[in-house]
Amino acid sequence: MSLDRSVLAFAGVMVLLSVALTAWVSPLFVWFTVFIGLNLLQSAFTGFCPAASIFRRFGVKPGCAF
């Protein structure tokens, strides 16, 4: 799996996790969903993604975007 697909899969899992936490634990976890969305938005404009740099350290092969 390339770095791009790894980041997309990780973002999807984090969004689903944050929605589940919001529904079943506390409505305040919606702020976690907001944080994930803002991180996705800033990475679209800047090209910097903290998750991509972490995955790169674990040796995930590079993709086109990251």
Side-chain angles (χ1 to χ4, degrees):
M1 186 181 289
S2 71
L3 186 60
D4 301 339
R5 292 187 183 265
S6 297
V7 168
L8 290 174
F10 179 70
V13 167
M14 294 307 290
V15 167
L16 291 175
L17 175 67
S18 67
V19 169
L21 288 170
T22 300
W24 292 317
V25 177
S26 170
L28 293 175
F29 274 106
V30 75
W31 292 107
F32 186 42
T33 311
V34 170
F35 171 75
I36 295 167
L38 289 173
N39 192 4
L40 288 168
L41 190 61
Q42 73 83 24
S43 70
F45 285 106
T46 65
F48 172 73
C49 178
S53 59
I54 292 170
F55 284 134
R56 194 176 299 120
R57 287 183 188 161
F58 284 129
V60 177
K61 66 179 181 177
C64 296
F66 299 108

Short mmCIF file of all heavy atoms in Angstrom, two decimals:
data_model
loop_
_atom_site.label_atom_id
_atom_site.label_comp_id
_atom_site.label_asym_id
_atom_site.label_seq_id
_atom_site.Cartn_x
_atom_site.Cartn_y
_atom_site.Cartn_z
N MET A 1 0.85 -1.17 0.00
CA MET A 1 0.00 0.00 0.00
C MET A 1 0.90 1.23 0.00
O MET A 1 1.85 1.32 0.77
CB MET A 1 -0.91 -0.03 1.23
CG MET A 1 -1.92 1.08 1.24
SD MET A 1 -3.01 1.11 2.68
CE MET A 1 -4.04 -0.28 2.39
N SER A 2 0.58 2.20 -0.83
CA SER A 2 1.39 3.41 -0.92
C SER A 2 1.07 4.36 0.24
O SER A 2 0.09 4.18 0.96
CB SER A 2 1.15 4.11 -2.25
OG SER A 2 -0.14 4.67 -2.28
N LEU A 3 1.91 5.34 0.38
CA LEU A 3 1.74 6.33 1.44
C LEU A 3 0.43 7.09 1.30
O LEU A 3 -0.27 7.34 2.29
CB LEU A 3 2.93 7.30 1.43
CG LEU A 3 3.02 8.31 2.55
CD1 LEU A 3 3.10 7.62 3.89
CD2 LEU A 3 4.23 9.20 2.35
N ASP A 4 0.07 7.42 0.08
CA ASP A 4 -1.18 8.16 -0.16
C ASP A 4 -2.39 7.36 0.32
O ASP A 4 -3.26 7.88 1.03
CB ASP A 4 -1.35 8.48 -1.65
CG ASP A 4 -0.22 9.31 -2.20
OD1 ASP A 4 0.47 9.96 -1.40
OD2 ASP A 4 -0.03 9.29 -3.42
N ARG A 5 -2.44 6.10 -0.06
CA ARG A 5 -3.57 5.26 0.32
C ARG A 5 -3.56 4.99 1.82
O ARG A 5 -4.63 4.87 2.43
CB ARG A 5 -3.56 3.97 -0.46
CG ARG A 5 -3.87 4.20 -1.94
CD ARG A 5 -4.03 2.89 -2.67
NE ARG A 5 -4.24 3.12 -4.07
CZ ARG A 5 -5.43 3.19 -4.63
NH1 ARG A 5 -6.50 3.06 -3.89
NH2 ARG A 5 -5.55 3.40 -5.92
N SER A 6 -2.38 4.89 2.41
CA SER A 6 -2.29 4.68 3.86
C SER A 6 -2.85 5.88 4.61
O SER A 6 -3.59 5.72 5.60
CB SER A 6 -0.85 4.45 4.28
OG SER A 6 -0.33 3.30 3.70
N VAL A 7 -2.52 7.07 4.15
CA VAL A 7 -3.03 8.29 4.80
C VAL A 7 -4.54 8.39 4.64
O VAL A 7 -5.25 8.73 5.59
CB VAL A 7 -2.31 9.54 4.24
CG1 VAL A 7 -3.01 10.82 4.67
CG2 VAL A 7 -0.86 9.56 4.66
N LEU A 8 -5.04 8.09 3.46
CA LEU A 8 -6.49 8.14 3.24
C LEU A 8 -7.22 7.11 4.10
O LEU A 8 -8.27 7.42 4.68
CB LEU A 8 -6.81 7.91 1.76
CG LEU A 8 -6.42 9.04 0.81
CD1 LEU A 8 -6.67 8.62 -0.63
CD2 LEU A 8 -7.18 10.31 1.13
N ALA A 9 -6.67 5.91 4.19
CA ALA A 9 -7.29 4.89 5.03
C ALA A 9 -7.26 5.30 6.50
O ALA A 9 -8.26 5.13 7.23
CB ALA A 9 -6.57 3.55 4.84
N PHE A 10 -6.15 5.85 6.95
CA PHE A 10 -6.03 6.30 8.33
C PHE A 10 -7.03 7.42 8.62
O PHE A 10 -7.69 7.42 9.66
CB PHE A 10 -4.60 6.76 8.61
CG PHE A 10 -4.39 7.26 10.00
CD1 PHE A 10 -4.39 6.39 11.07
CD2 PHE A 10 -4.16 8.61 10.24
CE1 PHE A 10 -4.19 6.85 12.36
CE2 PHE A 10 -3.95 9.07 11.52
CZ PHE A 10 -3.97 8.18 12.58
N ALA A 11 -7.16 8.37 7.69
CA ALA A 11 -8.11 9.48 7.88
C ALA A 11 -9.54 8.95 7.95
O ALA A 11 -10.33 9.39 8.78
CB ALA A 11 -7.97 10.49 6.75
N GLY A 12 -9.87 7.99 7.11
CA GLY A 12 -11.21 7.41 7.14
C GLY A 12 -11.50 6.70 8.45
O GLY A 12 -12.59 6.85 9.02
N VAL A 13 -10.53 5.94 8.94
CA VAL A 13 -10.71 5.25 10.22
C VAL A 13 -10.88 6.26 11.35
O VAL A 13 -11.72 6.08 12.24
CB VAL A 13 -9.53 4.30 10.48
CG1 VAL A 13 -9.51 3.81 11.92
CG2 VAL A 13 -9.58 3.12 9.53
N MET A 14 -10.08 7.32 11.33
CA MET A 14 -10.17 8.32 12.39
C MET A 14 -11.51 9.05 12.36
O MET A 14 -12.09 9.35 13.41
CB MET A 14 -9.01 9.32 12.28
CG MET A 14 -7.65 8.70 12.53
SD MET A 14 -7.55 7.79 14.07
CE MET A 14 -7.62 9.12 15.23
N VAL A 15 -12.04 9.34 11.18
CA VAL A 15 -13.35 9.99 11.08
C VAL A 15 -14.44 9.07 11.62
O VAL A 15 -15.30 9.49 12.40
CB VAL A 15 -13.65 10.42 9.63
CG1 VAL A 15 -15.11 10.80 9.45
CG2 VAL A 15 -12.76 11.57 9.21
N LEU A 16 -14.40 7.80 11.22
CA LEU A 16 -15.40 6.85 11.72
C LEU A 16 -15.29 6.66 13.23
O LEU A 16 -16.31 6.59 13.93
CB LEU A 16 -15.26 5.51 11.01
CG LEU A 16 -15.63 5.51 9.53
CD1 LEU A 16 -15.32 4.15 8.91
CD2 LEU A 16 -17.09 5.86 9.34
N LEU A 17 -14.07 6.61 13.75
CA LEU A 17 -13.87 6.49 15.19
C LEU A 17 -14.41 7.70 15.92
O LEU A 17 -15.09 7.58 16.95
CB LEU A 17 -12.38 6.32 15.49
CG LEU A 17 -11.99 6.29 16.97
CD1 LEU A 17 -12.54 5.03 17.63
CD2 LEU A 17 -10.48 6.36 17.11
N SER A 18 -14.15 8.90 15.38
CA SER A 18 -14.63 10.11 16.05
C SER A 18 -16.15 10.21 16.03
O SER A 18 -16.77 10.66 16.99
CB SER A 18 -13.99 11.35 15.44
OG SER A 18 -14.43 11.54 14.12
N VAL A 19 -16.77 9.76 14.94
CA VAL A 19 -18.24 9.76 14.88
C VAL A 19 -18.81 8.76 15.88
O VAL A 19 -19.80 9.06 16.57
CB VAL A 19 -18.72 9.47 13.44
CG1 VAL A 19 -20.21 9.21 13.40
CG2 VAL A 19 -18.36 10.62 12.52
N ALA A 20 -18.20 7.59 15.98
CA ALA A 20 -18.67 6.59 16.95
C ALA A 20 -18.51 7.10 18.38
O ALA A 20 -19.40 6.93 19.21
CB ALA A 20 -17.89 5.29 16.76
N LEU A 21 -17.38 7.74 18.68
CA LEU A 21 -17.19 8.30 20.01
C LEU A 21 -18.19 9.40 20.31
O LEU A 21 -18.68 9.52 21.44
CB LEU A 21 -15.76 8.84 20.16
CG LEU A 21 -14.65 7.80 20.25
CD1 LEU A 21 -13.28 8.47 20.15
CD2 LEU A 21 -14.77 7.01 21.53
N THR A 22 -18.51 10.20 19.30
CA THR A 22 -19.51 11.25 19.48
C THR A 22 -20.88 10.65 19.78
O THR A 22 -21.61 11.14 20.64
CB THR A 22 -19.59 12.15 18.22
OG1 THR A 22 -18.31 12.74 17.99
CG2 THR A 22 -20.62 13.24 18.37
N ALA A 23 -21.22 9.58 19.07
CA ALA A 23 -22.54 8.98 19.24
C ALA A 23 -22.67 8.21 20.55
O ALA A 23 -23.72 8.26 21.20
CB ALA A 23 -22.84 8.06 18.07
N TRP A 24 -21.61 7.50 20.95
CA TRP A 24 -21.76 6.57 22.07
C TRP A 24 -21.09 7.01 23.36
O TRP A 24 -21.39 6.46 24.42
CB TRP A 24 -21.23 5.20 21.68
CG TRP A 24 -22.09 4.56 20.64
CD1 TRP A 24 -23.44 4.53 20.59
CD2 TRP A 24 -21.65 3.85 19.48
NE1 TRP A 24 -23.88 3.85 19.48
CE2 TRP A 24 -22.79 3.42 18.78
CE3 TRP A 24 -20.40 3.54 18.97
CZ2 TRP A 24 -22.71 2.68 17.61
CZ3 TRP A 24 -20.33 2.81 17.80
CH2 TRP A 24 -21.48 2.40 17.13
N VAL A 25 -20.18 7.98 23.30
CA VAL A 25 -19.48 8.37 24.53
C VAL A 25 -19.89 9.76 24.98
O VAL A 25 -20.43 9.94 26.07
CB VAL A 25 -17.94 8.29 24.35
CG1 VAL A 25 -17.23 8.76 25.60
CG2 VAL A 25 -17.51 6.87 24.00
N SER A 26 -19.61 10.76 24.13
CA SER A 26 -19.93 12.13 24.51
C SER A 26 -20.06 12.99 23.25
O SER A 26 -19.26 12.85 22.31
CB SER A 26 -18.81 12.70 25.38
OG SER A 26 -18.98 14.09 25.57
N PRO A 27 -21.03 13.88 23.22
CA PRO A 27 -21.16 14.79 22.08
C PRO A 27 -19.96 15.71 21.90
O PRO A 27 -19.75 16.26 20.83
CB PRO A 27 -22.42 15.60 22.39
CG PRO A 27 -23.14 14.84 23.43
CD PRO A 27 -22.13 14.03 24.17
N LEU A 28 -19.15 15.85 22.93
CA LEU A 28 -17.97 16.72 22.82
C LEU A 28 -16.90 16.15 21.90
O LEU A 28 -16.00 16.87 21.47
CB LEU A 28 -17.39 16.99 24.21
CG LEU A 28 -18.28 17.82 25.14
CD1 LEU A 28 -17.65 17.92 26.52
CD2 LEU A 28 -18.53 19.19 24.55
N PHE A 29 -16.99 14.85 21.59
CA PHE A 29 -16.03 14.26 20.65
C PHE A 29 -16.23 14.78 19.24
O PHE A 29 -15.42 14.50 18.36
CB PHE A 29 -16.12 12.73 20.68
CG PHE A 29 -15.29 12.10 21.75
CD1 PHE A 29 -15.89 11.57 22.88
CD2 PHE A 29 -13.91 12.05 21.64
CE1 PHE A 29 -15.13 10.99 23.87
CE2 PHE A 29 -13.14 11.48 22.64
CZ PHE A 29 -13.74 10.94 23.75
N VAL A 30 -17.29 15.55 19.00
CA VAL A 30 -17.46 16.16 17.69
C VAL A 30 -16.28 17.09 17.39
O VAL A 30 -15.92 17.29 16.22
CB VAL A 30 -18.82 16.89 17.58
CG1 VAL A 30 -18.83 18.19 18.34
CG2 VAL A 30 -19.18 17.14 16.13
N TRP A 31 -15.65 17.63 18.41
CA TRP A 31 -14.47 18.48 18.20
C TRP A 31 -13.29 17.70 17.65
O TRP A 31 -12.45 18.24 16.94
CB TRP A 31 -14.10 19.22 19.48
CG TRP A 31 -15.13 20.23 19.84
CD1 TRP A 31 -16.04 20.15 20.84
CD2 TRP A 31 -15.40 21.45 19.15
NE1 TRP A 31 -16.86 21.26 20.83
CE2 TRP A 31 -16.48 22.07 19.80
CE3 TRP A 31 -14.82 22.08 18.05
CZ2 TRP A 31 -17.00 23.29 19.38
CZ3 TRP A 31 -15.34 23.30 17.64
CH2 TRP A 31 -16.41 23.89 18.30
N PHE A 32 -13.23 16.42 17.94
CA PHE A 32 -12.22 15.55 17.36
C PHE A 32 -12.46 15.42 15.85
O PHE A 32 -11.52 15.47 15.06
CB PHE A 32 -12.25 14.18 18.05
CG PHE A 32 -11.18 13.24 17.64
CD1 PHE A 32 -9.87 13.65 17.47
CD2 PHE A 32 -11.47 11.89 17.45
CE1 PHE A 32 -8.87 12.76 17.10
CE2 PHE A 32 -10.48 11.00 17.09
CZ PHE A 32 -9.19 11.44 16.91
N THR A 33 -13.71 15.29 15.46
CA THR A 33 -14.07 15.24 14.04
C THR A 33 -13.71 16.55 13.35
O THR A 33 -13.19 16.55 12.22
CB THR A 33 -15.58 14.96 13.88
OG1 THR A 33 -15.94 13.85 14.70
CG2 THR A 33 -15.94 14.67 12.44
N VAL A 34 -13.96 17.66 14.01
CA VAL A 34 -13.61 18.97 13.46
C VAL A 34 -12.10 19.08 13.27
O VAL A 34 -11.62 19.55 12.23
CB VAL A 34 -14.14 20.11 14.36
CG1 VAL A 34 -13.59 21.45 13.95
CG2 VAL A 34 -15.65 20.12 14.36
N PHE A 35 -11.33 18.62 14.26
CA PHE A 35 -9.87 18.65 14.16
C PHE A 35 -9.38 17.83 12.96
O PHE A 35 -8.50 18.26 12.22
CB PHE A 35 -9.25 18.12 15.45
CG PHE A 35 -7.78 17.90 15.36
CD1 PHE A 35 -6.90 18.98 15.38
CD2 PHE A 35 -7.26 16.63 15.25
CE1 PHE A 35 -5.54 18.79 15.29
CE2 PHE A 35 -5.89 16.42 15.16
CZ PHE A 35 -5.03 17.51 15.18
N ILE A 36 -9.96 16.66 12.76
CA ILE A 36 -9.56 15.81 11.64
C ILE A 36 -9.88 16.51 10.31
O ILE A 36 -9.07 16.53 9.39
CB ILE A 36 -10.26 14.44 11.72
CG1 ILE A 36 -9.78 13.69 12.96
CG2 ILE A 36 -10.00 13.62 10.47
CD1 ILE A 36 -10.63 12.49 13.30
N GLY A 37 -11.05 17.11 10.23
CA GLY A 37 -11.42 17.82 9.01
C GLY A 37 -10.51 19.01 8.71
O GLY A 37 -10.11 19.23 7.57
N LEU A 38 -10.17 19.76 9.75
CA LEU A 38 -9.25 20.89 9.56
C LEU A 38 -7.87 20.41 9.13
O LEU A 38 -7.21 21.05 8.30
CB LEU A 38 -9.15 21.71 10.83
CG LEU A 38 -10.39 22.54 11.18
CD1 LEU A 38 -10.23 23.17 12.56
CD2 LEU A 38 -10.62 23.60 10.12
N ASN A 39 -7.42 19.29 9.69
CA ASN A 39 -6.12 18.75 9.32
C ASN A 39 -6.13 18.30 7.85
O ASN A 39 -5.16 18.53 7.12
CB ASN A 39 -5.76 17.58 10.24
CG ASN A 39 -4.32 17.17 10.11
OD1 ASN A 39 -3.54 17.77 9.39
ND2 ASN A 39 -3.97 16.10 10.79
N LEU A 40 -7.22 17.68 7.41
CA LEU A 40 -7.33 17.29 6.01
C LEU A 40 -7.34 18.50 5.09
O LEU A 40 -6.71 18.50 4.03
CB LEU A 40 -8.59 16.46 5.80
CG LEU A 40 -8.59 15.04 6.36
CD1 LEU A 40 -9.98 14.45 6.33
CD2 LEU A 40 -7.64 14.18 5.57
N LEU A 41 -8.03 19.54 5.51
CA LEU A 41 -8.10 20.75 4.71
C LEU A 41 -6.75 21.45 4.60
O LEU A 41 -6.33 21.84 3.51
CB LEU A 41 -9.14 21.70 5.31
CG LEU A 41 -9.52 22.92 4.49
CD1 LEU A 41 -10.14 22.49 3.17
CD2 LEU A 41 -10.47 23.79 5.26
N GLN A 42 -6.03 21.58 5.72
CA GLN A 42 -4.72 22.24 5.66
C GLN A 42 -3.72 21.41 4.86
O GLN A 42 -2.89 21.96 4.16
CB GLN A 42 -4.20 22.58 7.05
CG GLN A 42 -3.71 21.45 7.90
CD GLN A 42 -2.28 21.02 7.64
OE1 GLN A 42 -1.47 21.77 7.14
NE2 GLN A 42 -2.01 19.78 7.97
N SER A 43 -3.82 20.08 4.91
CA SER A 43 -2.88 19.27 4.13
C SER A 43 -3.17 19.37 2.64
O SER A 43 -2.27 19.24 1.82
CB SER A 43 -2.91 17.81 4.58
OG SER A 43 -4.10 17.18 4.22
N ALA A 44 -4.42 19.63 2.28
CA ALA A 44 -4.76 19.81 0.87
C ALA A 44 -4.12 21.08 0.31
O ALA A 44 -3.70 21.12 -0.85
CB ALA A 44 -6.27 19.88 0.70
N PHE A 45 -4.03 22.13 1.14
CA PHE A 45 -3.46 23.39 0.67
C PHE A 45 -1.95 23.48 0.84
O PHE A 45 -1.27 24.08 0.03
CB PHE A 45 -4.13 24.57 1.39
CG PHE A 45 -5.52 24.84 0.90
CD1 PHE A 45 -6.61 24.49 1.67
CD2 PHE A 45 -5.74 25.41 -0.34
CE1 PHE A 45 -7.89 24.72 1.23
CE2 PHE A 45 -7.01 25.65 -0.81
CZ PHE A 45 -8.10 25.30 -0.02
N THR A 46 -1.42 22.89 1.90
CA THR A 46 0.01 23.03 2.18
C THR A 46 0.84 21.85 1.72
O THR A 46 2.04 21.99 1.53
CB THR A 46 0.25 23.22 3.69
OG1 THR A 46 -0.13 22.04 4.38
CG2 THR A 46 -0.51 24.42 4.22
N GLY A 47 0.22 20.69 1.58
CA GLY A 47 0.97 19.49 1.21
C GLY A 47 1.66 18.84 2.39
O GLY A 47 2.32 17.82 2.23
N PHE A 48 1.50 19.39 3.59
CA PHE A 48 2.10 18.81 4.79
C PHE A 48 1.05 18.03 5.55
O PHE A 48 -0.02 18.54 5.86
CB PHE A 48 2.68 19.90 5.70
CG PHE A 48 3.14 19.37 7.02
CD1 PHE A 48 4.29 18.61 7.11
CD2 PHE A 48 2.40 19.60 8.17
CE1 PHE A 48 4.71 18.10 8.33
CE2 PHE A 48 2.80 19.10 9.39
CZ PHE A 48 3.96 18.35 9.48
N CYS A 49 1.37 16.78 5.85
CA CYS A 49 0.46 15.93 6.61
C CYS A 49 1.26 15.21 7.69
O CYS A 49 2.18 14.45 7.37
CB CYS A 49 -0.21 14.91 5.69
SG CYS A 49 -1.32 13.79 6.56
N PRO A 50 0.94 15.46 8.96
CA PRO A 50 1.68 14.80 10.04
C PRO A 50 1.59 13.27 9.95
O PRO A 50 2.57 12.58 10.22
CB PRO A 50 1.00 15.30 11.31
CG PRO A 50 0.34 16.58 10.92
CD PRO A 50 -0.04 16.42 9.49
N ALA A 51 0.45 12.74 9.56
CA ALA A 51 0.31 11.29 9.45
C ALA A 51 1.23 10.73 8.37
O ALA A 51 1.81 9.65 8.53
CB ALA A 51 -1.14 10.91 9.16
N ALA A 52 1.39 11.47 7.27
CA ALA A 52 2.27 11.01 6.19
C ALA A 52 3.71 10.94 6.66
O ALA A 52 4.43 9.99 6.32
CB ALA A 52 2.14 11.94 4.98
N SER A 53 4.15 11.91 7.44
CA SER A 53 5.53 11.88 7.92
C SER A 53 5.75 10.73 8.90
O SER A 53 6.81 10.11 8.92
CB SER A 53 5.92 13.22 8.55
OG SER A 53 5.07 13.53 9.62
N ILE A 54 4.72 10.39 9.69
CA ILE A 54 4.84 9.25 10.61
C ILE A 54 4.86 7.94 9.83
O ILE A 54 5.70 7.07 10.09
CB ILE A 54 3.68 9.28 11.63
CG1 ILE A 54 3.85 10.47 12.57
CG2 ILE A 54 3.62 7.97 12.42
CD1 ILE A 54 2.65 10.74 13.45
N PHE A 55 3.98 7.80 8.86
CA PHE A 55 3.98 6.58 8.04
C PHE A 55 5.28 6.43 7.27
O PHE A 55 5.77 5.32 7.07
CB PHE A 55 2.79 6.57 7.07
CG PHE A 55 1.48 6.24 7.72
CD1 PHE A 55 0.35 6.98 7.46
CD2 PHE A 55 1.36 5.17 8.59
CE1 PHE A 55 -0.86 6.68 8.04
CE2 PHE A 55 0.16 4.85 9.19
CZ PHE A 55 -0.96 5.60 8.90
N ARG A 56 5.84 7.54 6.81
CA ARG A 56 7.10 7.50 6.07
C ARG A 56 8.21 6.95 6.96
O ARG A 56 9.07 6.19 6.51
CB ARG A 56 7.46 8.90 5.56
CG ARG A 56 8.56 8.89 4.53
CD ARG A 56 8.83 10.28 3.97
NE ARG A 56 7.65 10.83 3.29
CZ ARG A 56 7.03 11.96 3.63
NH1 ARG A 56 7.47 12.69 4.64
NH2 ARG A 56 5.98 12.38 2.96
N ARG A 57 8.21 7.32 8.24
CA ARG A 57 9.21 6.80 9.18
C ARG A 57 9.07 5.31 9.40
O ARG A 57 10.04 4.63 9.72
CB ARG A 57 9.10 7.53 10.52
CG ARG A 57 9.61 8.92 10.48
CD ARG A 57 9.56 9.56 11.83
NE ARG A 57 9.88 10.97 11.75
CZ ARG A 57 9.59 11.85 12.66
NH1 ARG A 57 8.95 11.48 13.76
NH2 ARG A 57 9.93 13.11 12.51
N PHE A 58 7.84 4.80 9.26
CA PHE A 58 7.61 3.37 9.40
C PHE A 58 7.96 2.59 8.13
O PHE A 58 7.83 1.38 8.09
CB PHE A 58 6.16 3.08 9.78
CG PHE A 58 5.84 3.36 11.21
CD1 PHE A 58 4.75 4.14 11.54
CD2 PHE A 58 6.62 2.85 12.24
CE1 PHE A 58 4.43 4.40 12.87
CE2 PHE A 58 6.32 3.10 13.56
CZ PHE A 58 5.23 3.88 13.89
N GLY A 59 8.38 3.31 7.09
CA GLY A 59 8.84 2.65 5.87
C GLY A 59 7.80 2.39 4.82
O GLY A 59 8.02 1.58 3.91
N VAL A 60 6.66 3.08 4.89
CA VAL A 60 5.64 2.91 3.86
C VAL A 60 6.15 3.57 2.58
O VAL A 60 6.69 4.68 2.62
CB VAL A 60 4.30 3.55 4.30
CG1 VAL A 60 3.25 3.44 3.22
CG2 VAL A 60 3.82 2.89 5.58
N LYS A 61 6.02 2.87 1.46
CA LYS A 61 6.57 3.39 0.20
C LYS A 61 5.84 4.66 -0.23
O LYS A 61 4.62 4.77 -0.06
CB LYS A 61 6.54 2.34 -0.89
CG LYS A 61 5.17 1.92 -1.32
CD LYS A 61 5.23 0.88 -2.41
CE LYS A 61 3.80 0.51 -2.81
NZ LYS A 61 3.76 -0.42 -3.88
N PRO A 62 6.57 5.62 -0.77
CA PRO A 62 5.96 6.92 -1.16
C PRO A 62 4.95 6.77 -2.30
O PRO A 62 5.02 5.85 -3.09
CB PRO A 62 7.15 7.76 -1.61
CG PRO A 62 8.35 6.93 -1.50
CD PRO A 62 7.98 5.59 -1.01
N GLY A 63 4.04 7.72 -2.33
CA GLY A 63 3.05 7.78 -3.39
C GLY A 63 3.21 9.06 -4.19
O GLY A 63 4.25 9.71 -4.13
N CYS A 64 2.18 9.46 -4.90
CA CYS A 64 2.24 10.66 -5.73
C CYS A 64 2.08 11.94 -4.92
O CYS A 64 2.74 12.93 -5.21
CB CYS A 64 1.15 10.61 -6.79
SG CYS A 64 1.34 9.25 -7.95
N ALA A 65 1.20 11.93 -3.94
CA ALA A 65 0.87 13.16 -3.21
C ALA A 65 1.85 13.46 -2.09
O ALA A 65 2.18 14.61 -1.84
CB ALA A 65 -0.55 13.09 -2.67
N PHE A 66 2.31 12.44 -1.41
CA PHE A 66 3.17 12.67 -0.24
C PHE A 66 4.53 12.05 -0.45
O PHE A 66 4.72 11.00 -0.91
CB PHE A 66 2.54 12.11 1.03
CG PHE A 66 1.22 12.73 1.39
CD1 PHE A 66 0.05 12.04 1.25
CD2 PHE A 66 1.17 14.04 1.86
CE1 PHE A 66 -1.16 12.61 1.58
CE2 PHE A 66 -0.03 14.62 2.20
CZ PHE A 66 -1.19 13.89 2.05
#
